[in-house]
Amino acid sequence: FWAVSTPPPDLLVTADGRHLALRTSDGEIALLRDRAGDYTRMMLAENGGFDGEPGLISEQHDARCSRDLCMADRVIAGRRWRIVATRSAYLLPATDLIAACRVADIVVSERRLPSRCQPRWLRLDRPMLAQTGGVAITFATRHVVTVRQPDDRHPWRVPARAAQGSDNLC
């Protein structure tokens, strides 16, 4: 019952910020990058609760994409959400990027964004995603789920520390 009553996320972002999947108005999933590998495509579709083959954001009627940047709008419960995401590792003119950030609700990038890039709600760039890991967002409820939690104590997350002043090293 819980699985059926929980809505699938509207936006999924990978931990490196390189890939994202946006739920389209018809309930399908559209990916940011044309060349996402099979594993990435399958993982994003599965985590987005979608069985079919994901489409591309660049092919959506409510998106505008260049080689380096995509801007997509989604209307949910009468509210328009604007998502801006970088698509390449090339640097964009700072003034253009800052202007895009200003009109976005969420900005996603695999690199560090300029400090003046201030979206209305979330900025998911390299430093933030290093803290959160992958992110899943449901727009209607503004529910954000992150892979890494503040109390995460997995051994691969918290580096071991050598005892200071100890001569008993193996």
Side-chain angles (χ1 to χ4, degrees), residues 72-92:
D73 292 336
R74 284 282 288 121
V75 176
I76 297 176
R79 189 204 192 279
R80 182 180 58 94
W81 294 88
R82 177 161 287 166
I83 298 91
V84 170
T86 59
R87 297 178 77 186
S88 74
Y90 297 112
L91 294 179
L92 301 166

PDB file of all heavy atoms in Angstrom, residues 72-92:
ATOM      1  N   ALA A  72      14.143  23.858 -18.374  1.00  0.00           N
ATOM      2  CA  ALA A  72      12.872  23.154 -18.563  1.00  0.00           C
ATOM      3  C   ALA A  72      11.862  23.630 -17.530  1.00  0.00           C
ATOM      4  O   ALA A  72      12.214  23.907 -16.384  1.00  0.00           O
ATOM      5  CB  ALA A  72      13.079  21.646 -18.421  1.00  0.00           C
ATOM      6  N   ASP A  73      10.613  23.740 -17.950  1.00  0.00           N
ATOM      7  CA  ASP A  73       9.520  24.135 -17.067  1.00  0.00           C
ATOM      8  C   ASP A  73       8.586  22.955 -16.864  1.00  0.00           C
ATOM      9  O   ASP A  73       8.322  22.194 -17.788  1.00  0.00           O
ATOM     10  CB  ASP A  73       8.719  25.287 -17.676  1.00  0.00           C
ATOM     11  CG  ASP A  73       9.502  26.580 -17.751  1.00  0.00           C
ATOM     12  OD1 ASP A  73      10.443  26.748 -16.960  1.00  0.00           O
ATOM     13  OD2 ASP A  73       9.168  27.421 -18.606  1.00  0.00           O
ATOM     14  N   ARG A  74       8.102  22.822 -15.649  1.00  0.00           N
ATOM     15  CA  ARG A  74       7.079  21.820 -15.314  1.00  0.00           C
ATOM     16  C   ARG A  74       6.016  22.519 -14.492  1.00  0.00           C
ATOM     17  O   ARG A  74       6.346  23.267 -13.572  1.00  0.00           O
ATOM     18  CB  ARG A  74       7.672  20.679 -14.480  1.00  0.00           C
ATOM     19  CG  ARG A  74       8.492  19.712 -15.260  1.00  0.00           C
ATOM     20  CD  ARG A  74       7.677  18.718 -16.066  1.00  0.00           C
ATOM     21  NE  ARG A  74       7.059  17.769 -15.156  1.00  0.00           N
ATOM     22  CZ  ARG A  74       5.743  17.571 -15.056  1.00  0.00           C
ATOM     23  NH1 ARG A  74       4.908  18.219 -15.800  1.00  0.00           N
ATOM     24  NH2 ARG A  74       5.269  16.715 -14.202  1.00  0.00           N
ATOM     25  N   VAL A  75       4.764  22.303 -14.837  1.00  0.00           N
ATOM     26  CA  VAL A  75       3.668  22.867 -14.063  1.00  0.00           C
ATOM     27  C   VAL A  75       3.027  21.726 -13.289  1.00  0.00           C
ATOM     28  O   VAL A  75       2.591  20.733 -13.865  1.00  0.00           O
ATOM     29  CB  VAL A  75       2.629  23.560 -14.973  1.00  0.00           C
ATOM     30  CG1 VAL A  75       1.448  24.058 -14.144  1.00  0.00           C
ATOM     31  CG2 VAL A  75       3.281  24.706 -15.738  1.00  0.00           C
ATOM     32  N   ILE A  76       3.016  21.883 -11.965  1.00  0.00           N
ATOM     33  CA  ILE A  76       2.448  20.864 -11.084  1.00  0.00           C
ATOM     34  C   ILE A  76       1.581  21.573 -10.066  1.00  0.00           C
ATOM     35  O   ILE A  76       2.036  22.510  -9.397  1.00  0.00           O
ATOM     36  CB  ILE A  76       3.548  20.040 -10.390  1.00  0.00           C
ATOM     37  CG1 ILE A  76       4.341  19.281 -11.454  1.00  0.00           C
ATOM     38  CG2 ILE A  76       2.957  19.088  -9.353  1.00  0.00           C
ATOM     39  CD1 ILE A  76       5.494  18.508 -10.949  1.00  0.00           C
ATOM     40  N   ALA A  77       0.333  21.148  -9.967  1.00  0.00           N
ATOM     41  CA  ALA A  77      -0.634  21.729  -9.038  1.00  0.00           C
ATOM     42  C   ALA A  77      -0.716  23.249  -9.213  1.00  0.00           C
ATOM     43  O   ALA A  77      -0.767  23.995  -8.243  1.00  0.00           O
ATOM     44  CB  ALA A  77      -0.295  21.349  -7.604  1.00  0.00           C
ATOM     45  N   GLY A  78      -0.686  23.693 -10.468  1.00  0.00           N
ATOM     46  CA  GLY A  78      -0.836  25.107 -10.757  1.00  0.00           C
ATOM     47  C   GLY A  78       0.412  25.959 -10.555  1.00  0.00           C
ATOM     48  O   GLY A  78       0.379  27.155 -10.774  1.00  0.00           O
ATOM     49  N   ARG A  79       1.506  25.359 -10.169  1.00  0.00           N
ATOM     50  CA  ARG A  79       2.744  26.112  -9.959  1.00  0.00           C
ATOM     51  C   ARG A  79       3.773  25.713 -11.011  1.00  0.00           C
ATOM     52  O   ARG A  79       3.954  24.543 -11.289  1.00  0.00           O
ATOM     53  CB  ARG A  79       3.321  25.834  -8.577  1.00  0.00           C
ATOM     54  CG  ARG A  79       4.497  26.768  -8.253  1.00  0.00           C
ATOM     55  CD  ARG A  79       5.397  26.116  -7.200  1.00  0.00           C
ATOM     56  NE  ARG A  79       6.381  26.970  -6.616  1.00  0.00           N
ATOM     57  CZ  ARG A  79       7.547  27.277  -7.187  1.00  0.00           C
ATOM     58  NH1 ARG A  79       7.834  26.865  -8.391  1.00  0.00           N
ATOM     59  NH2 ARG A  79       8.425  28.018  -6.549  1.00  0.00           N
ATOM     60  N   ARG A  80       4.425  26.705 -11.584  1.00  0.00           N
ATOM     61  CA  ARG A  80       5.466  26.449 -12.582  1.00  0.00           C
ATOM     62  C   ARG A  80       6.812  26.327 -11.875  1.00  0.00           C
ATOM     63  O   ARG A  80       7.205  27.190 -11.101  1.00  0.00           O
ATOM     64  CB  ARG A  80       5.543  27.575 -13.600  1.00  0.00           C
ATOM     65  CG  ARG A  80       6.587  27.317 -14.683  1.00  0.00           C
ATOM     66  CD  ARG A  80       6.655  28.452 -15.681  1.00  0.00           C
ATOM     67  NE  ARG A  80       6.961  29.714 -15.056  1.00  0.00           N
ATOM     68  CZ  ARG A  80       8.190  30.217 -14.948  1.00  0.00           C
ATOM     69  NH1 ARG A  80       9.210  29.578 -15.434  1.00  0.00           N
ATOM     70  NH2 ARG A  80       8.384  31.377 -14.352  1.00  0.00           N
ATOM     71  N   TRP A  81       7.498  25.216 -12.161  1.00  0.00           N
ATOM     72  CA  TRP A  81       8.842  24.975 -11.653  1.00  0.00           C
ATOM     73  C   TRP A  81       9.802  25.100 -12.833  1.00  0.00           C
ATOM     74  O   TRP A  81       9.587  24.478 -13.870  1.00  0.00           O
ATOM     75  CB  TRP A  81       8.955  23.574 -11.067  1.00  0.00           C
ATOM     76  CG  TRP A  81       8.129  23.387  -9.848  1.00  0.00           C
ATOM     77  CD1 TRP A  81       6.827  22.994  -9.784  1.00  0.00           C
ATOM     78  CD2 TRP A  81       8.546  23.589  -8.508  1.00  0.00           C
ATOM     79  NE1 TRP A  81       6.414  22.941  -8.490  1.00  0.00           N
ATOM     80  CE2 TRP A  81       7.457  23.303  -7.672  1.00  0.00           C
ATOM     81  CE3 TRP A  81       9.754  23.984  -7.924  1.00  0.00           C
ATOM     82  CZ2 TRP A  81       7.520  23.404  -6.296  1.00  0.00           C
ATOM     83  CZ3 TRP A  81       9.822  24.077  -6.550  1.00  0.00           C
ATOM     84  CH2 TRP A  81       8.716  23.788  -5.746  1.00  0.00           C
ATOM     85  N   ARG A  82      10.850  25.876 -12.673  1.00  0.00           N
ATOM     86  CA  ARG A  82      11.861  26.012 -13.724  1.00  0.00           C
ATOM     87  C   ARG A  82      13.154  25.370 -13.235  1.00  0.00           C
ATOM     88  O   ARG A  82      13.679  25.717 -12.181  1.00  0.00           O
ATOM     89  CB  ARG A  82      12.100  27.465 -14.084  1.00  0.00           C
ATOM     90  CG  ARG A  82      13.221  27.598 -15.123  1.00  0.00           C
ATOM     91  CD  ARG A  82      13.198  28.899 -15.836  1.00  0.00           C
ATOM     92  NE  ARG A  82      12.064  28.910 -16.768  1.00  0.00           N
ATOM     93  CZ  ARG A  82      11.620  30.004 -17.349  1.00  0.00           C
ATOM     94  NH1 ARG A  82      12.183  31.161 -17.110  1.00  0.00           N
ATOM     95  NH2 ARG A  82      10.608  29.937 -18.186  1.00  0.00           N
ATOM     96  N   ILE A  83      13.660  24.435 -14.051  1.00  0.00           N
ATOM     97  CA  ILE A  83      14.902  23.727 -13.744  1.00  0.00           C
ATOM     98  C   ILE A  83      15.926  24.119 -14.797  1.00  0.00           C
ATOM     99  O   ILE A  83      15.644  24.074 -15.997  1.00  0.00           O
ATOM    100  CB  ILE A  83      14.689  22.193 -13.762  1.00  0.00           C
ATOM    101  CG1 ILE A  83      13.687  21.776 -12.689  1.00  0.00           C
ATOM    102  CG2 ILE A  83      15.998  21.463 -13.526  1.00  0.00           C
ATOM    103  CD1 ILE A  83      12.297  21.737 -13.151  1.00  0.00           C
ATOM    104  N   VAL A  84      17.106  24.504 -14.338  1.00  0.00           N
ATOM    105  CA  VAL A  84      18.219  24.830 -15.222  1.00  0.00           C
ATOM    106  C   VAL A  84      19.327  23.834 -14.903  1.00  0.00           C
ATOM    107  O   VAL A  84      19.631  23.596 -13.732  1.00  0.00           O
ATOM    108  CB  VAL A  84      18.712  26.279 -15.012  1.00  0.00           C
ATOM    109  CG1 VAL A  84      20.010  26.534 -15.743  1.00  0.00           C
ATOM    110  CG2 VAL A  84      17.641  27.265 -15.449  1.00  0.00           C
ATOM    111  N   ALA A  85      19.928  23.258 -15.941  1.00  0.00           N
ATOM    112  CA  ALA A  85      21.004  22.281 -15.729  1.00  0.00           C
ATOM    113  C   ALA A  85      22.085  22.455 -16.783  1.00  0.00           C
ATOM    114  O   ALA A  85      21.775  22.668 -17.961  1.00  0.00           O
ATOM    115  CB  ALA A  85      20.443  20.864 -15.783  1.00  0.00           C
ATOM    116  N   THR A  86      23.325  22.357 -16.344  1.00  0.00           N
ATOM    117  CA  THR A  86      24.431  22.401 -17.302  1.00  0.00           C
ATOM    118  C   THR A  86      24.548  21.031 -17.953  1.00  0.00           C
ATOM    119  O   THR A  86      24.308  20.008 -17.323  1.00  0.00           O
ATOM    120  CB  THR A  86      25.761  22.797 -16.637  1.00  0.00           C
ATOM    121  OG1 THR A  86      26.080  21.859 -15.608  1.00  0.00           O
ATOM    122  CG2 THR A  86      25.680  24.192 -16.038  1.00  0.00           C
ATOM    123  N   ARG A  87      24.938  21.022 -19.237  1.00  0.00           N
ATOM    124  CA  ARG A  87      25.039  19.782 -20.003  1.00  0.00           C
ATOM    125  C   ARG A  87      26.454  19.460 -20.441  1.00  0.00           C
ATOM    126  O   ARG A  87      26.695  18.409 -21.021  1.00  0.00           O
ATOM    127  CB  ARG A  87      24.186  19.878 -21.268  1.00  0.00           C
ATOM    128  CG  ARG A  87      22.735  20.034 -21.011  1.00  0.00           C
ATOM    129  CD  ARG A  87      22.005  20.175 -22.309  1.00  0.00           C
ATOM    130  NE  ARG A  87      21.880  18.876 -22.950  1.00  0.00           N
ATOM    131  CZ  ARG A  87      21.390  18.693 -24.161  1.00  0.00           C
ATOM    132  NH1 ARG A  87      21.005  19.707 -24.882  1.00  0.00           N
ATOM    133  NH2 ARG A  87      21.303  17.490 -24.660  1.00  0.00           N
ATOM    134  N   SER A  88      27.373  20.377 -20.246  1.00  0.00           N
ATOM    135  CA  SER A  88      28.744  20.141 -20.695  1.00  0.00           C
ATOM    136  C   SER A  88      29.713  20.671 -19.640  1.00  0.00           C
ATOM    137  O   SER A  88      29.314  21.372 -18.715  1.00  0.00           O
ATOM    138  CB  SER A  88      29.006  20.845 -22.029  1.00  0.00           C
ATOM    139  OG  SER A  88      29.124  22.238 -21.837  1.00  0.00           O
ATOM    140  N   ALA A  89      30.968  20.343 -19.822  1.00  0.00           N
ATOM    141  CA  ALA A  89      32.002  20.815 -18.898  1.00  0.00           C
ATOM    142  C   ALA A  89      32.548  22.179 -19.312  1.00  0.00           C
ATOM    143  O   ALA A  89      33.389  22.740 -18.631  1.00  0.00           O
ATOM    144  CB  ALA A  89      33.143  19.806 -18.834  1.00  0.00           C
ATOM    145  N   TYR A  90      32.051  22.714 -20.422  1.00  0.00           N
ATOM    146  CA  TYR A  90      32.525  24.020 -20.883  1.00  0.00           C
ATOM    147  C   TYR A  90      31.991  25.128 -19.980  1.00  0.00           C
ATOM    148  O   TYR A  90      30.839  25.091 -19.553  1.00  0.00           O
ATOM    149  CB  TYR A  90      32.087  24.280 -22.324  1.00  0.00           C
ATOM    150  CG  TYR A  90      32.678  23.310 -23.295  1.00  0.00           C
ATOM    151  CD1 TYR A  90      31.882  22.381 -23.944  1.00  0.00           C
ATOM    152  CD2 TYR A  90      34.049  23.298 -23.552  1.00  0.00           C
ATOM    153  CE1 TYR A  90      32.422  21.470 -24.829  1.00  0.00           C
ATOM    154  CE2 TYR A  90      34.598  22.384 -24.433  1.00  0.00           C
ATOM    155  CZ  TYR A  90      33.783  21.483 -25.067  1.00  0.00           C
ATOM    156  OH  TYR A  90      34.322  20.583 -25.936  1.00  0.00           O
ATOM    157  N   LEU A  91      32.824  26.119 -19.730  1.00  0.00           N
ATOM    158  CA  LEU A  91      32.399  27.260 -18.929  1.00  0.00           C
ATOM    159  C   LEU A  91      31.479  28.149 -19.763  1.00  0.00           C
ATOM    160  O   LEU A  91      31.746  28.419 -20.932  1.00  0.00           O
ATOM    161  CB  LEU A  91      33.610  28.060 -18.459  1.00  0.00           C
ATOM    162  CG  LEU A  91      34.536  27.344 -17.475  1.00  0.00           C
ATOM    163  CD1 LEU A  91      35.711  28.231 -17.115  1.00  0.00           C
ATOM    164  CD2 LEU A  91      33.774  26.927 -16.229  1.00  0.00           C
ATOM    165  N   LEU A  92      30.415  28.580 -19.139  1.00  0.00           N
ATOM    166  CA  LEU A  92      29.480  29.492 -19.784  1.00  0.00           C
ATOM    167  C   LEU A  92      29.823  30.914 -19.356  1.00  0.00           C
ATOM    168  O   LEU A  92      30.388  31.111 -18.274  1.00  0.00           O
ATOM    169  CB  LEU A  92      28.053  29.162 -19.341  1.00  0.00           C
ATOM    170  CG  LEU A  92      27.575  27.756 -19.643  1.00  0.00           C
ATOM    171  CD1 LEU A  92      26.321  27.442 -18.864  1.00  0.00           C
ATOM    172  CD2 LEU A  92      27.333  27.620 -21.123  1.00  0.00           C
TER     173      LEU A  92
END
